[in-house]
Amino acid sequence: MAKELKLMKGNQAIAEAAIRMGCDGYFGYPITPQSEVLEHLMAERPYLTTGMVVLQAESELASINMVYAGASTGKRVMTSSSSPGFSLMQEGLSYIAGAELPALCVNVVRGGPGLGTIQPSQSDYFQTTKGGGHGDYRLITLAPASVQEMYDFVELGFDLAFKYRNPAAILSDGVIGQVMEKVMVDDYKPRWTNEYIEEHCPWAATGHRAGGKSTIVTSLELEALKQEAINERIQAKYRKCEEEDARHEAIQCDDAEYLFVAYGSAARICMKAMELARAEGIKVGLVRPITLWPFPTKAVAEIGGRMKKILSVEMNAGQMIEDVKLAVNCNVPVEHYGRYGGVIPTPVEIFEALKKMVK
Amino acid sequence: MTREDIIKPENLVYKRTSVLKDATMHYCPGCGHGTVHRIIAEVIEEMGIQDNVVGISPVGCSVLAYNYFDVDFVEAAHGRAPACASAIKRLRPETFVFSYQGDGDLASIGCAEVMHACNRGENITMIFINNGIYGMTGGQMAPTTLEGMETVTCPYGRDPEIMGHTMRLTEALAQLPGTYYVTRQAVYTPALARKCKKAIRQAFENQKLNKGVSFVEVTSNCNSGWKMTAVQANKWMEENTLKYFPLGDMKVNGKFDPKFIERIATFDQPNETLYSLRKK
Amino acid sequence: MTEEIIIAGFGGQGVLSMGKILAYAGIMQDKEVSWLPSYGPEMRGGTSNVTVILSDERICSPYLNQFDTAIILNQQSMDKFESSVKPGGLLIYDPNGITHHPTRKDINIYQVAAADKASELGISKLFNMIVLGGFLKVKPLVTPEMLHKGLEKSLPERHHHLIPKNEEAVEIGKGLLKPYHTL
């Protein structure tokens, strides 16, 4: 079967992409609004076709540790959850980063704090981009703004995770998870063979003592000087990632005097607000960060530097605005507009906020 | 006999298995960990699976187990070894997988993971070292600490009304349909160590059958945590621990041992051992 | 062309599946589509709504607060969404169970008495298709051929023998459409 056009929910696209790109295992626990990932996988039963393992774990703690262990053996494994469940996974993510393992985790964000609501939100920006768990580590964070990107970022996420041997996250929200859109799906790719893994992942504990020496996967190093050296190696990877893999999309920025910076579903709503604004003669553009970490600092500095004012539009109380301000070094005024707790800002509201800022 | 005579190969009576690295273990003298490590390593060597096995080490005294075994190892987060082992076995069903945990790791923080791995009937071997205390962190109360027993977090003795009851988790696991072999062993005498080796060998062999979890609890002392000499600790264990945690098979080939059925019928009765400890 | 539609009613009325069939038909007609449901406890027997967008261009926001068309199937949804129809837009509703009829004068309003008709014909499961017929009569966004293909795509194969019945219901809906207030 070649490429095929499908109508899918964002959550289903995650699952479908995992099967088709040759993912080896998914371990997850139900939580709204992302349960369709596990549901779709269980309905498709890839264990009968591609051999992909799918397991409903007893908790998010178990899921993320299954991912940790699966990744330890060089397999391409992933999990998905929503905010409260993702919080439970932070310890595991820190271990995965500390043991320098590649893995993919998806957070379909809902409003918090606490049990919060099940409605869409972007209030986990800080948690995802600034660490979340303990220790000096980062998650490579992709922010899809469409169902197609939900699909595409699964393979991209694994590619980046393996490039840097670091966990990657897809930071989505209830809108992108629940909305159905057209998706062009790829042909099925085979999973990696054990031989391929032995050849390309010498760090993996495959059970076979590759090279006649036993492989140990651990994040423990009790000697501070050695632990510092590990940290230096990890930080060097992060600098390289910032240099090579920051991504963004710029929309109608060439003639713009004002700029929206927004990601994910907020960016989509901003596009509608741009239509309204441009119809009234306000020249506004949009920079949509695609990687939230590494943040597209250079692009925001370069494009944002030309603007009169910048509005950071987020479904939270103001989190990404800090990275926007750092990017333009506070040379351009940056304001925030946001709704939170599961409320989605409307295009009209954002347009009004823009008008207020322009005045 | 001269030194030269002694080191002749034909006079060799014992040597370190090649599955153990030439490293000095950090365990306290008299602790059961070293013995169980050796047993597992010998079983791996005898089965010829050194190049097809992954071990999972816990958080606790045996956190550094991977420094002693010359096989591939994954170090798990506290309590999560059964989840790790489940994932690895499912992703690599051809590989022998074993988890190695203490009682704080397995019965306290990792209670959910061990229960569910056993309930799913994962085709893995679980080794559970039960010494009734948190050794590495300095002798705090564990779920398996006997009632009345003193630790640094129950310095007046474990009071079940405040601190809960001594947990017989292995007995609970035996009742899950996902477990195929469940046994409690000890290693404080040569005869018991030989018996324990048979059990661990069985627990590894069972992975070839794909019938579910094979679970071996090894009751051990923690002489430093218990603040006794090794000899005193073994005697205390025999007189107290083993009364509440008696040795023997609970489930073999997926069937309950008859003695186990008799024993669980008495679980609603007051336990004399605990009663006497509490009175003190 | 961009058409922004809200379909709202009770859970169980087939609100989501009506939207899905429309979206599939749109895809068959080479349009960009977006289908965003309300979700969560709302789905469990309470109110249910879905935003469907069909467009010839890249769709901006899947989440909207103003619509070209509102298809309203209960009183709560009338109360919530009557005001969100853009001036000059379209409101279609089933008068069954409606006590406060729409009052706007700046939009086109039609009734489709689908619930009564469906129970009269004993085809209550096809209620939503009757409503869809009413909508397509006013705004023929998708051709009958594309609707047929959309039904094929959105229904599981074991239900494909029901497609003709669905199409009949759409035709019934077209016949039921009654202007309530037109510009």
Side-chain angles (χ1 to χ4, degrees), chain A residues 225-238:
Chain A
L225 279 174
K226 286 186 183 167
Q227 186 60 257
E228 186 183 48
I230 292 168
N231 270 269
E232 279 166 356
R233 187 172 69 224
I234 291 173
Q235 291 304 319
K237 291 194 306 195
Y238 292 162

Side-chain angles (χ1 to χ4, degrees), chain A residues 5 7 9 32-33 118-120 174-175 178-182 249 268-269 271-272 275 344-348, chain C residues 4 20 23-24 27 30-37 39-42 58-63 65-66 153:
Chain A
L5 190 65
L7 180 66
K9 281 192 176 193
T32 308
I118 57 171
Q119 300 305 322
V175 174
Q178 291 295 325
V179 73
M180 281 210 294
E181 294 179 332
K182 286 204 284 196
E249 183 187 11
R268 293 283 295 273
I269 303 166
M271 283 163 65
K272 188 77 186 170
E275 278 182 8
I344 307 168
T346 65
V348 175
Chain C
E4 295 169 339
K20 207 185 273 185
Y24 268 114
I27 287 188
D30 267 343
K31 294 195 184 304
E32 296 299 319
V33 303
S34 161
W35 175 96
L36 179 67
Y39 61 86
E42 280 181 277
R58 177 178 177 182
I59 293 171
C60 304
S61 176
Y63 177 76
N65 59 332
Q66 291 183 321
K153 274 275 184 185

Side-chain angles (χ1 to χ4, degrees), chain C residues 1-94:
Chain C
M1 188 286 300
T2 298
E3 180 74 13
E4 295 169 339
I5 307 161
I6 178 96
I7 310 171
F10 287 119
Q13 279 181 318
V15 165
L16 300 186
S17 58
M18 191 197 322
K20 207 185 273 185
I21 289 161
L22 198 54
Y24 268 114
I27 287 188
M28 294 299 131
Q29 212 149 306
D30 267 343
K31 294 195 184 304
E32 296 299 319
V33 303
S34 161
W35 175 96
L36 179 67
S38 58
Y39 61 86
E42 280 181 277
M43 285 155 60
R44 318 275 180 261
T47 57
S48 165
N49 70 68
V50 60
T51 303
V52 178
I53 307 172
L54 304 182
S55 179
D56 293 325
E57 288 141 46
R58 177 178 177 182
I59 293 171
C60 304
S61 176
Y63 177 76
L64 301 165
N65 59 332
Q66 291 183 321
F67 305 93
D68 298 307
T69 298
I71 301 173
I72 305 290
L73 303 174
N74 66 4
Q75 185 65 52
Q76 288 99 314
S77 303
M78 184 69 82
D79 298 344
K80 196 169 173 188
F81 293 112
E82 182 188 353
S83 60
S84 348
V85 180
K86 293 178 196 168
L90 171 67
L91 191 157
I92 291 185
Y93 74 106
D94 186 334

